[in-house]
Amino acid sequence: MHDSRLLSSTTLPWIAFLAVALAPLAMSSSWTNMAILTLLFVHLCIAWNLVGGIAGQFCIGHSLFLAAGAYTSTLLSIHLGITPWIGMFAGAALAALIGVFIAWLSFRYELPPLSFALVTIALAMLGYLAISSIDFLGASRGLTLPVRGTPAMYQFRSDTTYYVVILIQVIIALALSMWLYHTKIGLYLRAVRDNERAAHAIGVPVLKYKMLAMAISAALTAFGGTFYAQYLQYVEPHTFAGINIVIQIILLTVVGGTGTVWGPVVGPMLLVPAGEWLRHSLGGSLPGVHLLVFGVLLVVVIRFAPDGLIGAFGRARQAWRFRRGATEVVTR
Amino acid sequence: MLEISGLVSGYGRISILHGIDLRVEKGELVALVGVNGAGKTTLMKTIAGLIRPTAGRIAFEGSEIAGEGAERAVAAGIALVPEGRMVFPRMTVWENLMLGGVHPRARPYREATLERIFDLFPRLAERRDQKAATMSGGEQQMLVIGRGLMAQPKLLILDEPSLGLSPLLVQETYGALRKLNADGLTILLAEQNVKLSLAVSNRGYVIENGKIVLTGASSDLARDPATRKAYLGRL
Amino acid sequence: MSRLSRLAAVGALALMTGVMSVAPSFAKDVKIGVLMPRTGRYAETGLSVVRGIEMVVNNTNAAGGIKSLGGGKINLVIADNGSDPTKTSLEARRLMSEEKVSFILGPYSTPEAQAFMPVADRYQVGGVGLQTTVIPTTPYFSTISISAEGFGKAYADAVKWLISKGAKINTVAITYANNDYGQVVSKTAAAALAAQGVKVLESIAVEPSVKDMTPIVLRVKSLAPDAVISVVYFQDGVLLHKARFNLGYTSPIWLGGSAGFSDDKLWGTLGKEVAEKTLTSSFGLAFYSADGKLPGLKDALQKGTAAYPDKVLDQSFMFGVQAARFLVQALENAGTDDPVKVNAAFRGLKFKAGDPAIVLPIIPGDVHYAEDGTLAGTSAIFVQWKDGAKHTVYPEAVASAKPIIEGVK
Amino acid sequence: MSAEVLLQATVQGLQMGAIYALIALSMTLIFSVGGLLNFAHGDFMALAMYGALALYQSFALDAYAAAPLLFFGFFLLGFLMFRRLVQPVLAAGVLAGAQLTLGLVFVQENFLLMVFGGDYLSVPTVLSNKNLVIPPLTMPWPLLVGSLLAVVLAAILYVVLMRTDFGRQVRAITQNSDAAALMGIRIDRVQAIAFGIGIGLLGLTGAIIVAQFTLTPAMGLDFTLIALIVMVIGGLGSFAGSMIAGAIIGVSESLGSLLYGGTVGAMIPYAILVLVLLFRPHGLMGEH
């Protein structure tokens, strides 16, 4: 009994996820590219959710981590010829460092949640303005990666290979997020989210776990940044350091369900393809109409399921069980 | 005046009250005693309209108010003085009191009521322009009671008014309640402090695990072996 | 020649003519991708570009298609890049791997081009950037516009020309939008001016999202330069002119561009009062002006008015026309739909001055593609405004009016 | 740098600062309703500015004359929106509310893009291009009117919130909504009215400052950020604080651009925000 429930609550979603994620392999190559974009956002949403959802820190500064991953690996590749396979770890380390600093800063100065969000916005904007002005980082024009065309340099001839790379990254990120969620660390993080003072009072080392969550989230985001940069083979501040992408990440996660394991997976997997579909089917008619529809869709989901689709699904299932339970009692 | 029957209430799907029957007659001072977690606060909040009951009736002066919301309860003449001294911390004493009488039913009498409250609690008059958060626990308790009175209630409900007060302040507070009752105000008092509340009240109810287990005249209850046994530590 | 061989020759000829006369069965249609913003920031521009492209392609197809392909028709596959580099990359991959297009017209902006180039390089399908000011890094990408570096030099050339006309310019201050375009233009202009012996007092960066240009104009004013070069977009350009107007600072010779000095809607947006005080004496760098003296331009304007009577035939439209005319010529030269050969033919394009294929006034003389994929022979034009209309004043080869220079009679 | 130029830049900065404060005032009011952080703030204002444009184009109505109309129109919009949309989401938490407004950014930006297109537009008014010249100073009238209005509105809002029953009810809900309910305060109605006034003020603000800016559908987010900065630096809920913070941001941005160029000028507000939040987490005039 217990085992089968465990099976249904962890294994089934995995099977469903893999089935959907692997489907594009059987389809045409334009699906592969769509799947890559989708999985990239799944990866970034999982990473953000560790801090923004599970630890409840409304961080808008993840563009810094994305930029760290994208720029570090790119610069190492351009100037020193170091392969991004190694560069990605340098980028992740840098991102983790920045993340730990932000976590420390917010703890040291006891920032309330709202102020934390604003400080991270401000840091993100400062980072964006700085990157757009520094010549070494390519300034606003950005940096183009030399075409080397070898897998050893993280460049592939086939999009399917990029797809496999991001799929593996997502699986690792998902496993990590699941592990974090279900172990003591996740428990502590959720305690911090629900009531930081109380968590502190019962002896949870709040700073340590906040820094840990931030470090993991930042490093994962940086890995996403490296992949994104290598996939596009160029970096540029607007795409890699602007806050627009963070807003997208947050909205996708929110629709899926913040603070849950599967929310950041479900959100992008439904909405990224939906957004592309809307763009293709409505985009040509009037500028903006497809994004308007998309925005209305987001607002409607947030309105009727503020805890996201995963939350709504959970409630529906519970209600169904409840009703079924009730009928059983009656028939008995 | 207040008639509760078969009341079931709680939070979400979890019921805390399992069929409460309770009456308060005009001019009475009724005590509701029970240990922490027995359901006193839930009952008070349900009467005041903060919680919607899942079953049962609450009739006030003959009309049904169950589940109609807090605004309806205030309009009918019920004022709840909540536990935990829920003042508006960043407002002055005067502002807190004015808010107590902000309901259209009470608004025309605000100035007059304010005078009465300042008579009853002279300390509030002294601290008129002080921020509520900066006052002592006892002063805040007076303020909350005063604020409840500003609503021109026919029935004043108090939730644990003695909680966390020094014995001297408790005496002062209860003195004020007795005076108000003597002036004709109907009072329903929820307390853990069994001895004190039974001493001031006419009748009493004992609540346990969301059910009324004993009821009767306060003097009888105070002598009842069952009450004594249950609340030995407090007697 | 023997009778037999003569017969064979005649037979062969007959066979060929016969084949030619049933052209549809021999004609090879060619699939061309159009990768333009139809949504997002540059949607309006992208839609206008597509109108220009569609007009040329429809006219070509109606006139018998591509002759070297036996009258094959051009089929456009229009893709939307959402004004976004990532989507440009995705759509480019789709056009190349799935739609198997022979060439791509687009993308539009510089960041989009940078996302496009690695894909073009990988799939070996060519593309042509329209308003891209970056120098291509792959043989599979070419541009029509002038590079940012080219614009920088154009400012220096214009200053040299103004001096030759009698203007006294010893010192220059530069303000630039702090983005890819502004940074490169200002740097190149400063270097070229210094080489000419003109002193650049300072280059001042301005964020493109600025809400007030007054402090910047004040800074320029306190430098007291003889001339000012402002690399601005539309919005910061409007704010710049308003600040100049409010502060009454109209004395130095002011050069600027592009949209913030030469966009068709600028005069209307500023209003007559401000525009007369600021635009009439300024020199606006432009890609395009409808008064350009080119036979191809007159023809395009005429056909455009017929095809889209209710639309404004703006700069973007003409860029679309220009790109499509280049492509038609390249297809004629290539005689195949093989992407590599089409791209090579595109890179090999050569036009004489006054060729009817040329519609953009930035191409006044002979033109061909340089080694790096930029157009050699282009030259930015400068316009001056009068009563709400633009008049080209430089270079003199395409000028339609005499310049009005501050301090020169 | 001459004293004259410095003075001119300071005055210009003060006026821009007053405009920032004006935008932050309504954000402060909206924030006081259940702690909602409105990321769509600037977008509502953009909507109002386009509204002024539409009224000008259709009825040749001057933006200053349209201001009261826009106030009432936006009040209704805000009131209804709160009832149907914001309140149910806010019940799920402050963060859900903030996320909802992020979604609204999408909706409004693209609505404007769809209806008005992506071109930059401007709205002429009676005060456009008029300057008040007091040598050596030049002050654009639209900015002056905006600044004066900011001060007047801040004073009115202060009085309404601090000295009226309505204001006390709004504050009571912010400080302890359960206790407020016990007073018989109709929380949803008071909140909806306060939210409506906040959005209405944005309608008014948009009309008043439309002469100063160029309109583009995506302009909202920049204004949201500047309003957030001003509100937070001033101290959440403090109108006087917003005025002071607006002045600080406006002047430092202006002088920063004058002395060190536009990029530094653009970075200054964010740097100030970080420093203030670290060393005075409740802002300059905020209450603990």
Side-chain angles (χ1 to χ4, degrees):
Chain A
M1 177 70 194
H2 194 81
D3 284 345
S4 74
R5 190 174 300 161
L6 194 73
L7 183 84
S8 69
S9 72
T10 51
T11 320
L12 265 183
W14 271 102
I15 294 170
F17 163 71
L18 286 175
V20 176
L22 289 170
L25 278 184
M27 297 186 215
S28 66
S29 63
S30 68
W31 282 93
T32 312
N33 286 315
M34 168 100 79
I36 291 171
L37 188 67
T38 308
L39 286 176
L40 175 68
F41 271 102
V42 170
H43 180 87
L44 295 175
C45 288
I46 290 174
W48 182 81
N49 184 51
L50 293 179
V51 162
I54 296 176
Q57 309 276 302
F58 199 54
C59 181
I60 310 184
H62 272 57
S63 53
L64 291 171
F65 311 143
L66 192 78
Y71 277 90
T72 309
S73 60
T74 303
L75 286 170
L76 287 175
S77 169
I78 290 176
H79 293 292
L80 302 174
I82 295 174
T83 165
W85 291 116
I86 295 172
M88 66 195 253
F89 290 99
L94 178 64
L97 216 61
I98 301 171
V100 164
F101 174 71
I102 293 176
W104 173 82
L105 209 62
S106 73
F107 185 83
R108 161 72 181 73
Y109 293 95
E110 292 174 1
L111 288 182
L114 211 59
S115 306
F116 177 76
L118 295 170
V119 164
T120 53
I121 286 190
L123 291 176
M125 289 303 290
L126 286 171
Y128 169 72
L129 290 170
I131 291 175
S132 332
S133 309
I134 298 172
D135 282 335
F136 178 68
L137 300 177
S140 292
R141 181 170 269 192
L143 298 165
T144 309
L145 277 151
V147 178
R148 297 196 174 100
T150 61
M153 290 306 285
Y154 209 133
Q155 288 181 7
F156 317 111
R157 291 226 70 84
S158 158
D159 286 336
T160 312
T161 321
Y162 284 104
Y163 164 80
V164 170
V165 170
I166 190 67
L167 181 62
I168 291 170
Q169 279 199 18
V170 167
I171 291 172
I172 293 172
L174 190 52
L176 193 65
S177 124
M178 228 169 178
W179 173 75
L180 271 174
Y181 193 81
H182 290 295
T183 54
K184 194 180 71 182
I185 304 170
L187 191 70
Y188 282 173
L189 286 177
R190 277 177 284 159
V192 171
R193 171 186 67 188
D194 295 340
N195 191 336
E196 183 168 331
R197 268 174 216 280
H200 192 70
I202 59 165
V204 174
V206 173
L207 175 61
K208 185 176 138 193
Y209 283 103
K210 272 187 168 178
M211 291 197 332
L212 183 72
M214 200 60 143
I216 297 175
S217 173
L220 280 178
T221 307
F223 284 130
T226 302
F227 173 83
Y228 200 8
Q230 303 309 317
Y231 176 62
L232 293 184
Q233 289 186 29
Y234 102 112
V235 291
E236 171 253 352
H238 195 78
T239 309
F240 288 89
I243 63 169
N244 286 18
I245 190 163
V246 187
I247 292 180
Q248 271 185 57
I249 292 171
I250 294 174
L251 283 173
L252 293 174
T253 313
V254 166
V255 166
T258 35
T260 61
V261 173
W262 291 98
V265 180
V266 168
M269 281 183 97
L270 286 177
L271 287 184
V272 175
E276 287 297 288
W277 177 76
L278 280 174
R279 190 163 67 87
H280 280 294
S281 49
L282 294 176
S285 54
L286 264 177
V289 67
H290 74 287
L291 286 172
L292 177 67
V293 174
F294 189 71
V296 170
L297 196 74
L298 286 177
V299 168
V300 166
V301 172
I302 298 175
R303 161 70 178 82
F304 291 102
D307 50 350
L309 293 171
I310 290 286
F313 176 72
R315 266 180 285 125
R317 197 169 64 165
Q318 215 169 14
W320 182 71
R321 273 194 188 156
F322 186 72
R323 215 180 314 145
R324 197 179 57 169
T327 26
E328 269 168 21
V329 173
V330 171
T331 45
R332 217 180 286 157
Chain B
M1 184 181 233
L2 177 73
E3 247 190 274
I4 297 172
S5 54
L7 191 70
V8 180
S9 180
Y11 301 92
R13 212 170 274 134
I14 302 152
S15 288
I16 291 178
L17 305 177
H18 312 285
I20 297 278
D21 297 311
L22 184 147
R23 325 167 30 92
V24 179
E25 296 300 338
K26 195 168 167 52
E28 273 191 311
L29 200 167
V30 176
L32 175 74
V33 299
V35 292
N36 207 1
K40 296 190 300 293
T41 298
T42 309
L43 178 56
M44 303 287 109
K45 283 188 171 173
T46 311
I47 298 171
L50 287 180
I51 301 174
R52 177 187 288 271
T54 43
R57 295 171 33 100
I58 304 172
F60 186 75
E61 294 189 314
S63 57
E64 182 65 36
I65 59 161
E68 301 270 310
E71 198 269 333
R72 174 77 179 87
V74 175
I78 297 174
L80 169 64
V81 176
E83 80 171 320
R85 296 186 283 277
M86 300 209 300
V87 293
F88 300 114
R90 281 161 297 172
M91 290 199 223
T92 64
V93 167
W94 183 81
E95 285 179 317
N96 266 278
L97 290 172
M98 287 319 261
L99 275 166
V102 82
H103 192 271
R105 202 178 70 88
R107 207 177 294 204
Y109 316 104
R110 271 204 293 202
E111 293 306 320
T113 323
L114 194 66
E115 290 308 312
R116 271 180 51 214
I117 290 163
F118 282 159
D119 281 348
L120 195 63
F121 302 112
R123 212 174 308 188
L124 292 183
E126 288 165 28
R127 312 250 148 146
R128 203 185 130 100
D129 295 321
Q130 195 175 324
K131 290 265 159 74
T134 63
M135 302 205 303
S136 73
E139 290 163 345
Q140 290 192 14
Q141 186 62 53
M142 288 174 197
L143 177 57
V144 185
I145 295 174
R147 196 179 62 184
L149 291 170
M150 285 296 288
Q152 300 285 321
K154 296 172 187 165
L155 170 68
L156 184 70
I157 306 177
L158 295 106
D159 194 2
E160 305 267 9
S162 71
L163 197 72
L165 294 190
S166 71
L168 201 71
L169 276 169
V170 173
Q171 287 299 332
E172 200 175 318
T173 309
Y174 271 75
L177 290 181
R178 214 175 311 187
K179 201 166 145 202
L180 286 166
N181 183 236
D183 289 349
L185 182 65
T186 314
I187 295 176
L188 172 61
L189 178 67
E191 265 293 1
Q192 278 188 65
N193 191 332
V194 177
K195 191 176 160 190
L196 197 62
S197 53
L198 289 182
V200 297
S201 57
N202 314 118
R203 286 193 305 117
Y205 289 89
V206 179
I207 185 168
E208 235 177 75
N209 295 326
K211 281 184 182 129
I212 300 291
V213 290
L214 267 178
T215 174
S218 296
S219 47
D220 295 345
L221 280 181
R223 281 193 302 268
D224 191 291
T227 331
R228 295 187 71 92
K229 194 181 157 219
Y231 302 97
L232 200 61
R234 295 178 185 276
L235 285 172
Chain C
M1 197 183 280
S2 72
R3 268 181 70 184
L4 193 70
S5 59
R6 209 182 298 165
L7 200 68
V10 170
L13 205 68
L15 201 70
M16 274 174 74
T17 0
V19 168
M20 300 273 275
S21 64
V22 286
S25 66
F26 176 79
K28 199 161 165 54
D29 286 2
V30 53
K31 230 177 179 182
I32 297 297
V34 177
L35 186 49
M36 277 289 141
R38 292 162 76 82
T39 57
R41 288 187 285 171
Y42 305 126
E44 304 275 334
T45 318
L47 293 170
S48 186
V49 169
V50 172
R51 278 195 289 275
I53 293 172
E54 280 179 331
M55 182 186 86
V56 173
V57 167
N58 290 343
N59 291 346
T60 306
N61 286 347
I66 304 294
K67 295 183 182 60
S68 69
L69 288 169
K73 305 274 185 288
I74 299 173
N75 295 329
L76 294 178
V77 184
I78 298 173
D80 165 36
N81 68 13
S83 312
D84 173 80
T86 309
K87 291 191 174 121
T88 304
S89 178
L90 296 184
E91 289 293 330
R93 285 165 209 251
R94 185 176 70 86
L95 288 174
M96 294 174 191
S97 67
E98 197 131 320
E99 299 284 354
K100 306 251 187 269
V101 298
S102 301
F103 195 79
I104 291 179
L105 299 175
Y108 171 73
S109 73
T110 302
E112 293 164 19
Q114 277 180 302
F116 179 84
M117 285 190 285
V119 183
D121 200 76
R122 180 138 66 91
Y123 287 94
Q124 301 191 320
V125 178
V128 56
L130 279 79
Q131 301 259 22
T132 55
T133 55
V134 67
I135 294 173
T137 55
T138 157
Y140 289 94
F141 189 66
S142 320
T143 65
I144 283 186
S145 172
I146 300 169
S147 68
E149 288 82 353
F151 280 128
K153 287 197 199 79
Y155 281 113
D157 290 345
V159 168
K160 193 193 271 175
W161 168 70
L162 285 168
I163 293 171
S164 78
K165 288 277 165 193
K168 183 183 138 313
I169 303 177
N170 295 319
T171 55
V172 169
I174 301 176
T175 79
Y176 63 96
N178 193 21
N179 64 11
D180 61 284
Y181 173 66
Q183 286 165 357
V184 179
V185 172
S186 88
K187 220 171 272 175
T188 328
L193 285 168
Q196 280 166 219
V198 176
K199 191 172 180 214
V200 178
L201 297 172
E202 195 173 315
S203 296
I204 308 164
V206 183
E207 286 307 312
S209 60
V210 66
K211 286 178 218 69
D212 183 18
M213 288 285 272
T214 311
I216 300 296
V217 174
L218 282 171
R219 184 171 179 85
V220 171
K221 193 179 174 186
S222 70
L223 293 170
D226 296 329
V228 187
I229 295 173
S230 287
V231 186
V232 286
Y233 286 78
F234 193 87
Q235 188 186 15
D236 42 341
V238 169
L239 294 173
L240 174 77
H241 299 310
K242 278 191 180 173
R244 283 174 65 196
F245 174 84
N246 288 340
L247 296 170
Y249 183 52
T250 46
S251 54
I253 297 173
W254 214 299
L255 300 92
S258 53
F261 276 81
S262 62
D263 192 286
D264 292 313
K265 300 174 196 92
L266 189 61
W267 186 279
T269 304
L270 278 175
K272 191 169 176 253
E273 203 180 343
V274 178
E276 281 190 338
K277 275 270 185 309
T278 53
L279 288 186
T280 46
S281 57
S282 303
F283 294 88
L285 179 146
F287 299 91
Y288 167 71
S289 177
D291 67 344
K293 283 193 269 177
L294 291 167
L297 175 58
K298 296 227 158 55
D299 172 64
L301 282 169
Q302 208 173 10
K303 287 187 174 137
T305 318
Y308 308 103
D310 56 336
K311 298 281 185 205
V312 181
L313 305 178
D314 57 3
Q315 163 184 311
S316 311
F317 178 82
M318 285 305 162
F319 264 92
V321 170
Q322 188 65 84
R325 287 199 173 169
F326 273 18
L327 173 76
V328 168
Q329 191 58 53
L331 287 172
E332 284 292 2
N333 295 353
T336 165
D337 65 350
D338 177 57
V340 176
K341 287 182 183 141
V342 172
N343 183 62
F346 198 93
R347 274 279 176 108
L349 286 173
K350 275 192 182 68
F351 294 99
K352 287 268 172 243
D355 189 295
I358 305 287
V359 296
L360 291 176
I362 57 169
I363 312 174
D366 298 353
V367 68
H368 66 273
Y369 269 101
E371 196 64 10
D372 60 7
T374 59
L375 266 182
T378 54
S379 152
I381 60 172
F382 281 85
V383 297
Q384 279 196 312
W385 290 82
K386 195 162 188 269
D387 300 327
K390 288 185 292 187
H391 302 283
T392 310
V393 293
Y394 174 86
E396 281 168 11
V398 291
S400 66
K402 288 248 174 294
I404 300 161
I405 307 170
E406 202 85 20
V408 178
K409 293 253 164 73
Chain D
M1 204 65 62
S2 71
E4 212 173 277
V5 166
L6 283 171
L7 182 67
Q8 174 73 55
T10 309
V11 169
Q12 181 77 16
L14 275 174
Q15 295 179 57
M16 285 303 286
I19 301 287
Y20 295 162
L22 181 60
I23 306 170
L25 286 179
S26 41
M27 182 177 254
T28 302
L29 185 62
I30 288 172
F31 180 77
S32 70
V33 180
L36 179 70
L37 196 58
N38 182 17
F39 281 107
H41 200 72
D43 292 285
F44 276 107
M45 197 180 74
L47 199 65
M49 290 165 110
Y50 275 96
L53 173 74
L55 287 172
Y56 175 78
Q57 284 176 341
S58 321
F59 309 107
L61 193 61
D62 195 85
Y64 293 99
L69 277 180
L70 284 166
F71 175 80
F72 287 115
F74 273 65
F75 171 80
L76 276 181
L77 174 74
F79 185 85
L80 291 174
M81 196 165 221
F82 187 82
R83 276 285 169 93
R84 300 260 166 252
L85 194 62
V86 179
Q87 192 185 29
V89 176
L90 212 48
V94 182
L95 285 187
Q99 288 153 357
L100 173 78
T101 61
L102 279 180
L104 288 177
V105 172
F106 252 88
V107 174
Q108 298 191 44
E109 258 184 31
N110 291 293
F111 172 75
L112 292 178
L113 180 66
M114 190 181 85
V115 176
F116 294 94
D119 282 338
Y120 291 101
L121 302 167
S122 66
V123 185
T125 69
V126 280
L127 294 184
S128 292
N129 309 326
K130 302 265 190 305
N131 289 306
L132 174 66
V133 183
I134 308 170
L137 289 177
T138 303
M139 288 171 278
W141 271 110
L143 271 184
L144 264 182
V145 170
S147 329
L148 290 177
L149 192 79
V151 177
V152 171
L153 277 180
I156 293 176
L157 276 178
Y158 181 83
V159 170
V160 166
L161 269 170
M162 301 310 282
R163 300 269 184 271
T164 67
D165 269 330
F166 174 74
R168 277 190 285 271
Q169 293 185 35
V170 173
R171 283 188 295 143
I173 294 167
T174 315
Q175 294 179 19
N176 191 335
S177 64
D178 268 359
L182 285 175
M183 306 298 103
I185 295 172
R186 291 183 175 176
I187 294 184
D188 1 344
R189 213 177 62 174
V190 172
Q191 285 191 325
I193 293 173
F195 189 84
I197 294 177
I199 299 294
L201 280 179
L202 272 176
L204 186 71
T205 307
I208 296 298
I209 66 173
V210 75
Q212 187 61 30
F213 298 97
T214 331
L215 275 55
T216 162
M219 70 196 299
L221 199 60
D222 279 333
F223 283 109
T224 303
L225 288 175
I226 218 78
L228 268 177
I229 292 173
V230 169
M231 175 175 86
V232 171
I233 291 179
L236 296 174
S238 166
F239 293 107
S242 286
M243 297 304 294
I244 293 168
I248 291 175
I249 294 298
V251 170
S252 58
E253 206 179 36
S254 173
L255 289 181
S257 302
L258 174 67
L259 299 174
Y260 306 105
T263 304
V264 172
M267 288 172 102
I268 282 177
Y270 298 104
I272 294 182
L273 175 69
V274 172
L275 291 177
V276 167
L277 279 176
L278 293 184
F279 295 103
R280 278 192 74 100
H282 297 276
L284 297 179
M285 307 271 289
E287 293 163 328
H288 284 244

